[in-house]
Amino acid sequence: GNDGPAVSTVGFPGSSSRAISVGALLPGRFVPGAPGAPATPDAVAYFSARGGEVPKPDIVTPGVAYSTVPNWDAGGEIEAGTSMASPHAAGLAALVLSAAAQAHVKVSAAAVRQALMVTAGRLPAVDYTGQGAGIPDAVRAWQWLKLGRTLPSITVQSGRGTPAALLIVGPAESLPPQIAFRLQGAPGARDTFDLRSSAAWLGAPARITLADSAHLALAISDVARRGAPTTGVVSGWSADTLAGPAFRLVTTVARAVGPSAQFSDTLRAAESQQHFFVADSGVPLNVRVSSSGRGVLAFLHEPGGMPFLDGVSLEAGSGDDAAVFRIDSRDAKPGFWQVSAATSGSAAVVNFSLEPAPVTTAVTRDGDSVHATIVNRTDSMVRGRMLMGLLGAEQVMTVEANGSEPLRRPVSVPAWARYLVADVSMPPAQWELLTDFGVSLLDSTGAPLEQSPLNYAHGRLHHAFDRAPDMVTLALFPGFADPAGGASWGAEIRLRFYAESPVQLSREGAREVTVTPGATAHVSEPWADPSWTLPTGASLLGVVTFDTGTRDWSAESVFAPGTTGTPSP
């Protein structure tokens, strides 16, 4: 997958335990450098998905390649992505299988993967989540394979019941001193393995004897002092060390910083770094990334490794050219987020700044009035200018279906709408049953206006109308491994229609508001009918902005009907 550089972004099918999972190597010759400067060493491409909750990738191969193109596409000869890396690995496997066929040697798929991994060369300063075993070598893999070495079949699960990998994130005081894995061997087998740890902070006993199954406890000592993740691998070796490890236990640990923090990194050319931070539910947050050099990209990933729905990457320059991700209260999910940076042709100092909103807001409509409640989340006095306005409308629909047949739903578009945002979400457990899922917005002729794969259990589609049509169609394309299996599935769809310009509810302009530490303020404004015709079942969508003088915070919400006490200005 191409959702790097954040940790735990390997998706299907690369996460499959029996696949040869391939990350993208960035050959140094593709990294621009100054004339006469030494060549940049090979690295893992920033876009290559990283492991964390699965022990992947297995290997890395070139993910940037030259491609033949027609004359009209001159200049587009360089292609990048794990789609470039996978055929390299398939070619290596084909070479090994061809050699085995010519030598009349029978080999299994598992042996081919072991051969490619055991004989791979590792990149320096890149951990297992980025490169797995490293860069494979077809000749060395065949030399290993033709010796006919065998390894016992060992199945590994973490103490959480997940595959042989653990991702542990949290404040320093919450990191566990010990973790556990469960090893399952062949019935009746009894094997002894020497254990080796790749990291000083990840402790393991000298050896383990496996009779059918066993639990193995590993000790975690002091690790990273900040949000940057670090990975350690404990491997199990039989008496035949040339056979390579029979199993690997991959553990990634990261200390998350709070939602308000500042820190920096010094990155080499073609290097990336990730940091975890904590976000609070419904609290707007600004994430700012600036750099001293050119060609620096900043990335934001939500809890679980999902790319930020409103845009995962931005260029990160200095000053006003810094990358700023604005997380609205709607998208502020609780949990551990990741902010990352990656350099291209030159080294750079990268600065990160996390700033949560000092206040949260809630809005209700009561008859001819709209009431805003403002809560000061800080231990200091907060002063600002507040405005309320109407942005458009929100409509929620739930769909249920069976099997892989496309599902189409007509959508009535208000005449005043200029932008449409469609959020499609489904339960994560259901998402794991799908092999593919596409979302398209179609015009009246069936031609696509926008289309996108849903790579996670929650996705977002944006579209801007030149002129609002009366109707569009939202089409969902589920894919199951067994198309005729008739598996049931469902999704929630939130459609947000935005007008070209907001309707201001604050008739007297911005209201000055002062909120003491930990206190709550109430502001009311008279209701102003926007005279918008709403789709059936839709509710008005509003916004509250709070300008502190240095930051302008906004929070979108449905202006739901309700009752409040008598608000004080």
Side-chain angles (χ1 to χ4, degrees):
N2 300 313
D3 285 337
V7 172
S8 198
T9 46
V10 173
F12 186 88
S15 58
S16 178
S17 60
R18 295 189 179 184
I20 297 177
S21 304
V22 191
L25 180 73
L26 174 61
R29 68 179 60 212
F30 285 98
V31 179
T40 301
D42 293 347
V44 174
Y46 70 82
F47 55 78
S48 183
R50 268 66 170 176
E53 293 176 292
V54 293
K56 299 288 185 175
D58 296 317
I59 54 176
V60 289
T61 59
V64 182
Y66 289 107
S67 173
T68 56
V69 295
N71 290 336
W72 56 263
D73 195 23
E77 294 86 356
I78 297 178
E79 300 286 350
T82 50
S83 293
M84 301 295 104
S86 292
H88 278 90
L92 294 177
L95 288 173
V96 171
L97 289 171
S98 178
Q102 293 177 56
H104 304 289
V105 175
K106 292 185 177 181
V107 296
S108 66
V112 171
R113 180 172 68 176
Q114 178 75 354
L116 292 173
M117 294 179 70
V118 168
T119 58
R122 292 190 59 78
L123 290 165
V126 179
D127 63 27
Y128 197 91
T129 60
Q131 67 172 320
I135 306 172
D137 183 312
V139 173
R140 293 177 60 189
W142 166 238
Q143 290 172 345
W144 182 93
L145 197 61
K146 69 181 179 181
L147 297 176
R149 286 187 162 85
T150 59
L151 284 171
S153 177
I154 307 296
T155 302
V156 182
Q157 282 191 328
S158 72
R160 298 175 179 174
T162 57
L166 273 176
L167 172 62
I168 303 170
V169 184
E173 61 275 8
S174 71
L175 296 179
Q178 196 174 69
I179 57 174
F181 287 90
R182 183 177 183 272
L183 285 70
Q184 178 72 53
R190 184 178 179 85
D191 299 296
T192 298
F193 301 97
D194 291 330
L195 300 178
R196 305 177 187 174
S197 176
S198 68
W201 55 265
L202 185 61
R207 62 184 51 85
I208 185 174
T209 298
L210 181 59
D212 286 346
S213 65
H215 289 272
L216 177 60
L218 307 179
I220 296 179
S221 61
D222 189 35
V223 290
R225 296 184 179 276
R226 206 172 54 221
T230 181
T231 300
V233 180
V234 170
S235 51
W237 299 73
S238 66
D240 182 8
T241 56
L242 292 180
F247 57 85
R248 296 175 177 87
L249 313 176
V250 184
T251 303
T252 301
V253 177
R255 292 186 175 179
V257 300
S260 179
Q262 294 183 354
F263 46 91
S264 62
D265 280 326
T266 300
L267 301 182
R268 298 185 296 270
E271 186 180 20
S272 63
Q273 186 59 274
Q274 311 84 14
H275 297 277
F276 282 89
F277 66 90
V278 181
D280 294 329
S281 178
V283 179
L285 180 73
N286 285 347
V287 180
R288 186 177 190 272
V289 184
S290 62
S291 72
S292 63
R294 295 182 177 180
V296 176
L297 288 175
F299 303 85
L300 185 65
H301 287 74
E302 300 182 12
M306 186 175 78
F308 181 43
L309 284 172
D310 257 6
V312 64
S313 66
L314 294 171
E315 291 189 15
S318 60
D320 293 339
D321 294 326
V324 179
F325 298 97
R326 302 186 187 278
I327 306 173
D328 185 83
S329 58
R330 175 191 300 276
D331 294 328
K333 302 180 182 69
F336 300 111
W337 293 59
Q338 291 181 69
V339 58
S340 312
T343 57
S344 55
S346 60
V349 175
V350 183
N351 299 302
F352 302 84
S353 176
L354 311 175
E355 183 181 7
V359 297
T360 57
T361 58
V363 180
T364 57
R365 178 186 171 189
D366 184 12
D368 293 330
S369 299
V370 180
H371 312 296
T373 302
I374 305 148
V375 179
N376 184 349
R377 303 179 57 254
T378 73
D379 55 5
S380 303
M381 186 82 72
V382 175
R383 294 182 175 87
R385 295 168 58 83
M386 195 209 74
L387 281 170
M388 283 191 284
L390 296 174
L391 297 175
E394 179 176 280
Q395 182 181 20
V396 181
M397 63 175 69
T398 302
V399 297
E400 294 183 355
N402 296 294
S404 295
E405 286 297 317
L407 180 70
R408 292 175 170 86
R409 286 289 183 268
V411 175
S412 177
V413 181
W416 48 263
R418 291 296 175 266
Y419 309 95
L420 171 64
V421 177
D423 281 359
V424 181
S425 60
M426 60 181 62
Q430 173 190 289
W431 168 246
E432 293 175 359
L433 304 177
L434 293 156
T435 61
D436 185 41
F437 199 97
V439 182
S440 295
L441 191 69
L442 311 176
D443 65 14
S444 59
T445 69
L449 298 169
E450 299 287 348
Q451 52 191 354
S452 174
L454 192 73
N455 291 326
Y456 292 82
H458 188 184
R460 178 170 291 169
L461 199 69
H462 297 258
H463 183 69
F465 297 110
D466 293 331
R467 186 171 65 88
D470 292 333
M471 297 289 293
V472 295
T473 298
L474 190 70
L476 308 179
F477 300 88
F480 290 92
D482 180 7
S488 61
W489 62 275
E492 181 188 76
I493 303 169
R494 289 185 175 270
L495 302 172
R496 300 200 301 279
F497 303 94
Y498 291 92
E500 188 166 8
S501 301
V503 174
Q504 184 173 303
L505 294 177
S506 306
R507 295 181 180 177
E508 298 179 2
R511 299 281 293 272
E512 297 285 348
V513 178
T514 300
V515 194
T516 56
T520 300
H522 301 276
V523 176
S524 293
E525 295 287 355
W527 175 250
D529 190 347
S531 300
W532 290 337
T533 301
L534 302 185
T536 302
S539 300
L540 285 168
L541 179 66
V543 64
V544 176
T545 63
F546 193 87
D547 186 355
T548 62
T550 58
R551 293 287 186 275
D552 189 2
W553 301 96
S554 65
E556 292 184 15
S557 64
V558 171
F559 277 19
T563 57
T564 62
T566 303
S568 58

